[in-house]
Amino acid sequence: ITRHAAPTATMATTRAAALTAIMMACGAEALLVGSPSPFAGSSSMAAVSSSSHPRMMFGGGGGGGEGNFMDKLKAAKDMFNPEMMKKYSEVGQKVQELQEELTQTEVECSTNEGGIVVKVTGTQVPLSVEVSDEMLAGGAEKLSEQVAAALKQAHAKSGGYAQQRMAELYDQMGLGAGMPKQ
C-alpha cells in the first residue's frame, strides 16, 4: 500500500492560482456566475460579474452567443499553431515594409483654383504648403478657408491611399476576406 502525503496549503494555493489563470485567460469569470464565488476567501481571486444570466465554466447558462470554455480554448489553440504564427510573422513584416513605403510616399492636393498646394506623406504627416500670390492677395479669411480645405483634402486622400495599400497587402497575403473594399 502506498500512501500519498496530504496536500499542503502551498499545493492548494498553487492549484487555485493555476485554475484562476486558466479561467481568466479563457474569459471564464467563475464556475457559475451568480452563485457564491468559489474563491470567496481570497479577494484577489474573487470573480465579479455584471451579467444577470448565469454562465457556467464549461458551457450552458445564459446565451448571448459568447461561446463556451471549450470553444474559446480551441480557438486559442488554433490561433497559436505554428502555421498561423508564421503567417502572423509574415504579415507583420509586410506591414512594417508598407509603413516604411508610406512614409516615403508623397500625396499632393490643391484647391480648386490651384492657389494652395499641400503635400503630405502616406502616413499623413504634412510636408509642405504652397500658397500662390493670388491667394495671398485675397485676404486672410479666404486664405485660411482654402488652407483648411486643402489640408483636409490631403489628409483624406493620404488616408484613403494608405487604406487601399493595406487592403492590397491583405489580399496578397490571402487575408482579404472581411476587409472593406474601396
Side-chain angles (χ1 to χ4, degrees):
I1 296 177
T2 305
R3 290 195 166 175
H4 296 283
T8 64
T10 305
M11 291 172 68
T13 304
T14 304
R15 287 183 186 144
L19 178 60
T20 301
I22 291 169
M23 291 170 58
M24 291 175 78
C26 295
E29 295 167 353
L31 295 178
L32 177 61
V33 175
S35 66
S37 173
F39 307 114
S42 171
S43 62
S44 66
M45 293 186 209
V48 178
S49 173
S50 59
S51 174
S52 60
H53 300 301
R55 190 173 79 201
M56 295 181 192
M57 184 173 170
F58 294 102
E66 294 181 28
N68 65 29
F69 175 82
M70 296 307 288
D71 291 340
K72 290 178 183 180
L73 193 59
K74 183 180 181 316
K77 180 186 130 250
D78 292 344
M79 187 170 31
F80 293 107
N81 75 44
E83 291 173 17
M84 289 307 291
M85 294 304 288
K86 182 179 177 191
K87 187 73 143 181
Y88 296 149
S89 177
E90 289 175 26
V91 169
Q93 188 175 16
K94 295 281 187 180
V95 168
Q96 192 171 21
E97 290 170 6
L98 179 60
Q99 284 295 325
E100 290 172 17
E101 174 192 323
L102 291 173
T103 301
Q104 301 301 317
T105 302
E106 282 188 18
V107 176
E108 183 178 301
C109 274
S110 61
T111 58
N112 290 339
E113 297 90 30
I116 297 177
V117 177
V118 175
K119 292 181 183 177
V120 296
T121 66
T123 56
Q124 303 175 346
V125 175
L127 294 174
S128 67
V129 177
E130 298 172 15
V131 181
S132 69
D133 291 333
E134 294 83 31
M135 288 303 297
L136 286 174
E141 189 174 321
K142 183 176 180 184
L143 180 61
S144 293
E145 288 174 9
Q146 293 296 315
V147 167
L151 284 169
K152 287 177 184 175
Q153 213 176 30
H155 185 269
K157 188 174 179 181
S158 173
Y161 176 75
Q163 208 171 23
Q164 173 193 349
R165 292 290 293 127
M166 187 64 82
E168 290 170 4
L169 174 91
Y170 280 128
D171 282 343
Q172 197 177 53
M173 297 294 295
L175 303 171
M179 288 291 291
K181 297 290 180 191
Q182 294 286 50

